[in-house]
Each structure stands twice: as structure tokens, then as C-alpha cells.
Amino acid sequence: MKTQDFTEDEYKAKYDSVTEKICLCEGLCSAAYLKLQIIKPKENKSVSICPRPNLAYFNRTYSLDEMVKHIYGTVDLLDKVNRPHVFIKELNLYIDYLKTDIQKHLKDLSDKKRKSLNNFKAQLQQGINYYKELVDELPNQTPDFLNKWLSELMRSENILNCIAI
């Protein structure tokens, strides 16, 4: 592909589209689909192994001994890492996805795509509103946890509100 006459930006866009990450859920289902021979012709046949979400918070290469100790709980390699609640992390991933999708379609934003993006943004806001209601129903949580959770949620909502479509 490098031999074709692409500008650097065109090449990067084409490269990114070819190496784009696929949905982990699809890859996790693929093994069962392949075994049961129920995969559709156009579906991806790649199989994924889920490394768990905490993988994103490891910041260096660890020895096997360190990882074994971490897995069995004798060492906490993520002790000093500030990690958002899983709901907040997922919300932020969706907000990042929305921003990326908007950037991808800036040059050729059709009315249909604009409507789709606005619907997606509205659904994210509905999710945030649901989370706000959920706070009162979380049992056995410390005030510090709830305050941090609400603070992270409000920060995410502010980011979402700043996104213009």
C-alpha cells in the first residue's frame, strides 16, 4: 500500500481503517460459532481472549514472578493506580468512541449520520441520568466512594455536553 500515491494523511486513514480494533464481544463469540459451525460468511473468524479490563492499567513489563504474585494476591501491582468505576470507564469509552466517530465523518457528515450521532449522544445522556438515579440504590457504599463516583460521572457528563455535532 505504501507504493500507491497517498498523502501521509490518506495513508494513515487507510492504515487505521485496516488495523481498526474489532468488538471484543465478536471475537469472544467466534470460538463458539466456529465450533458449532454457525458463523455467517461475512463474519470475522478471529478469536479473542479477554485479558480483562485491568490490563489497561499496567504501565510496564512485569516478570512472571510479579504477575503470579499479583494474580494470587500477595502483591498488588495496581495498588497506586487510580482506576475509575467500571460503569464510568465504560461510559468514557463510549464518549471517546462518539468523539472519534464525529472526527471520522467531519468531511462528509450526512443528515442520516448526524441523526445517528445525536441519537447516540442522547442515549449516553440517558445512561448518565440512569447512573445518577442508581447512586441512591447502591447498598453498603462509603460516602467517599459515592462522592468519587458522582464526581467522575459529572466530569464525564461535562465532556459529553461539550461535544457538538
Side-chain angles (χ1 to χ4, degrees):
M1 193 158 112
K2 271 248 191 222
T3 59
Q4 296 182 12
D5 294 325
F6 292 120
T7 67
E8 190 173 322
D9 288 341
E10 290 171 329
Y11 177 80
K12 181 170 178 5
K14 290 197 179 291
Y15 177 84
D16 288 346
S17 73
V18 170
T19 59
E20 183 178 2
K21 296 174 186 170
I22 65 162
C23 175
L24 182 60
C25 299
E26 287 180 24
L28 292 171
C29 294
S30 292
Y33 288 163
L34 289 169
K35 181 173 175 67
L36 299 173
Q37 299 176 343
I38 57 174
I39 198 157
K40 297 175 188 137
K42 290 188 177 185
E43 284 189 60
N44 192 324
K45 293 183 176 128
S46 300
V47 176
S48 300
I49 299 170
C50 183
R52 310 244 345 220
N54 284 334
L55 180 67
Y57 299 103
F58 289 98
N59 61 1
R60 65 176 176 85
T61 303
Y62 297 89
S63 70
L64 178 60
D65 184 50
E66 287 174 307
M67 286 308 295
V68 168
K69 287 177 181 175
H70 176 76
I71 290 167
Y72 287 100
T74 59
V75 170
D76 186 357
L77 298 176
L78 301 176
D79 180 42
K80 304 261 188 283
V81 177
N82 183 21
R83 295 177 285 171
H85 187 277
V86 66
F87 287 169
I88 303 297
K89 181 64 177 175
E90 184 177 31
L91 172 63
N92 290 336
L93 288 171
Y94 281 121
I95 291 171
D96 289 344
Y97 176 83
L98 175 64
K99 290 192 283 189
T100 302
D101 205 17
I102 291 169
Q103 286 297 319
K104 199 182 333 182
H105 292 92
L106 274 180
K107 291 181 184 176
D108 59 347
L109 187 60
S110 67
D111 288 339
K112 182 179 178 181
K113 186 61 179 178
R114 181 184 312 272
K115 184 177 178 182
S116 170
L117 292 169
N118 278 316
N119 281 341
F120 188 71
K121 183 178 175 182
Q123 288 173 345
L124 289 174
Q125 185 60 57
Q126 286 175 342
I128 289 171
N129 294 340
Y130 173 74
Y131 286 168
K132 287 178 184 176
E133 293 171 13
L134 191 64
V135 165
D136 295 330
E137 297 177 26
L138 293 175
N140 306 322
Q141 299 301 324
T142 66
D144 286 344
F145 169 83
L146 293 173
N147 288 334
K148 182 181 178 206
W149 199 76
L150 275 172
S151 172
E152 290 173 347
L153 183 61
M154 300 314 289
R155 191 174 313 118
S156 298
E157 184 175 33
N158 288 337
I159 293 169
L160 181 65
N161 289 334
C162 289
I163 297 174
I165 300 173

